[in-house]
C-alpha cells in the first residue's frame, strides 16, 4: 500500500480529537523544554547569544533550545513520524550544518546503537527519535522525554564549543 496515497477522510478525522492530540504533543514539548531549562540541562540561548524561540514550518512545530551549547529543536515532525519511526516527537541536533554532522554522530554514537533511532537529514543536522511511553499520564511522558534528551545532552558535552 502506498503510504503517501490520500485516504478518504472519515468523521473521526474531522472530529477534533486529532487536533486535541496535536495540541497535547505541543504541550509535552513545551513542558519538557521548560523542565530541561529549569534544571540547567538546556538553555533558551544559542552559542552566539541569540534567543531561541518556538517555531513552525512545513510539517513540523517545535521549540529551539541549546544542549551543551549545540542548537537543537524539539519538535513534532509529521514527516519523520510518517516515514521513519512511530513517534511524533523528534530532537533535531545541530542547525545549518553546525556542528558538522560527523561531529554530532561521533558524540551521540551510543544512541546510534539503537535501531531506527538516529537519522541524518540533508547533511545539515541529525534527528533523534524521542520515544513516548504509552498508557501513562502526561507527567510520566514528560519524565521520559526529559530523561532521553538529558542523555543526548550528556553525549553532546564532548562537542567542542568552537564547533557550535
Amino acid at each position: 500500500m502506498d503510504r503517501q496515497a490520500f485516504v478518504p477522510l472519515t468523521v473521526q478525522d474531522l472530529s477534533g480529537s486529532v487536533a486535541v492530540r496535536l495540541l497535547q504533543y505541543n504541550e509535552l514539548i513545551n513542558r519538557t523544554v521548560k523542565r530541561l531549562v529549569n534544571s540547567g540541562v538546556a538553555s533558551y540561548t544559542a552559542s552566539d547569544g541569540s534567543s531561541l524561540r518556538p517555531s513552525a514550518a512545513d510539517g513540523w512545530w517545535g521549540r529551539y533550545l541549546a544542549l551543551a551549547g549545540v542548537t537543537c529543536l524539539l519538535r513534532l515532525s509529521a514527516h519523520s513520524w510518517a516515514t521513519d519511526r512511530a513517534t511524533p516527537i523528534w530532537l533535531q541536533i545541530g542547525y545549518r550544518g553546525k556542528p558538522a554532522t560527523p561531529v554530532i554522530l561521533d558524540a551521540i554514537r551510543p544512541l546510534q546503537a539503537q535501531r531506527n533511532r538516529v537519522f541524518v537529514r540533508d547533511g545539515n543536522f541529525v534527528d533523534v527519535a524521542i520515544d513516548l511511553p504509552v498508557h501513562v499520564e502526561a507527567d510520566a511522558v514528560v519524565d521520559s522525554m526529559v530523561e532521553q534528551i538529558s542523555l543526548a545532552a550528556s553525549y553532546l558535552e564532548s562537542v567542542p564549543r568552537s564547533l557550535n
Side-chain angles (χ1 to χ4, degrees):
M1 176 182 241
D2 183 0
R3 291 172 53 119
Q4 300 297 324
F6 184 81
V7 177
L9 296 172
T10 66
V11 172
Q12 289 81 12
D13 293 331
L14 304 175
S15 71
S17 63
V18 172
V20 168
R21 183 59 81 189
L22 290 172
L23 291 171
Q24 289 172 344
Y25 289 141
N26 280 324
E27 183 59 21
L28 290 171
I29 289 168
N30 290 333
R31 288 180 58 191
T32 298
V33 171
K34 184 176 182 178
R35 190 175 312 164
L36 288 164
V37 169
N38 288 343
S39 68
V41 172
S43 169
Y44 292 127
T45 306
S47 60
D48 66 1
S50 62
S51 183
L52 300 171
R53 303 186 191 311
S55 192
D58 188 23
W60 64 265
W61 309 267
R63 180 78 169 105
Y64 282 100
L65 65 154
L67 297 172
V70 176
T71 299
C72 297
L73 172 65
L74 185 61
R75 72 190 192 292
L76 185 156
S77 174
H79 181 268
S80 298
W81 185 10
T83 60
D84 295 323
R85 188 165 169 140
T87 183
I89 309 296
W90 294 78
L91 178 66
Q92 172 186 316
I93 301 175
Y95 181 71
R96 296 185 177 172
K98 289 189 175 186
T101 300
V103 172
I104 298 169
L105 291 173
D106 186 52
I108 65 166
R109 182 168 287 133
L111 292 178
Q112 293 181 66
Q114 300 173 23
R115 190 171 170 266
N116 291 330
R117 183 73 186 258
V118 176
F119 298 83
V120 175
R121 305 289 187 204
D122 302 324
N124 290 322
F125 64 90
V126 174
D127 242 354
V128 177
I130 302 299
D131 294 324
L132 304 180
V134 296
H135 307 298
V136 297
E137 295 296 323
D139 286 342
V141 176
V142 171
D143 290 344
S144 175
M145 292 172 63
V146 166
E147 182 179 313
Q148 292 172 71
I149 295 163
S150 294
L151 181 62
S154 73
Y155 297 144
L156 293 173
E157 290 291 339
S158 68
V159 175
R161 299 282 176 162
S162 62
L163 298 179
N164 297 332

